[in-house]
Amino acid sequence: MSLQEFDALIDRMKLAFEYADNLGQYVDAAKVLYQMNEQLPDDLQLTLEELENPDSAKSFVMRHQSEIKTAISEYRQRLMNF
């Protein structure tokens, strides 16, 4: 995947995440974080626990949001160096 393709995909996912997060739809926001994580290469993917309880979605999102953003930045850096 090229940097441009990755950026376009992640930008759409970020918008979906922010929309869900801002509306307090944390289960949907968590789903987007899972999808973002799946777009990363195996060595950068986070081991995310399964979201079993919708009541814990907010804490899941808050706990993993910055980790996913960091992994995305690392992958973008790799793509820029190719």
Side-chain angles (χ1 to χ4, degrees):
M1 177 180 307
S2 73
L3 176 60
Q4 293 80 13
E5 292 169 329
F6 181 73
D7 280 347
L9 178 63
I10 292 298
D11 285 345
R12 287 192 304 272
M13 289 180 166
K14 283 181 182 178
L15 287 174
F17 172 79
E18 290 170 3
Y19 182 77
D21 189 44
N22 288 337
L23 291 177
Q25 298 174 341
Y26 299 111
V27 172
D28 291 334
K31 289 177 185 178
V32 175
L33 287 180
Y34 282 116
Q35 292 170 348
M36 290 172 142
N37 192 48
E38 290 173 359
Q39 296 307 312
L40 297 168
D42 291 342
D43 66 318
L44 287 177
Q45 283 187 9
L46 302 176
T47 304
L48 300 175
E49 70 273 9
E50 200 166 313
L51 186 62
E52 296 176 13
N53 180 358
D55 296 331
S56 65
K58 183 176 181 177
S59 64
F60 175 89
V61 168
M62 294 181 79
R63 186 171 55 250
H64 295 295
Q65 177 182 5
S66 63
E67 295 172 326
I68 294 284
K69 286 182 179 182
T70 300
I72 288 169
S73 294
E74 287 179 31
Y75 187 50
R76 283 192 81 254
Q77 192 65 34
R78 283 187 195 176
L79 290 173
M80 288 173 39
N81 290 331
F82 283 112

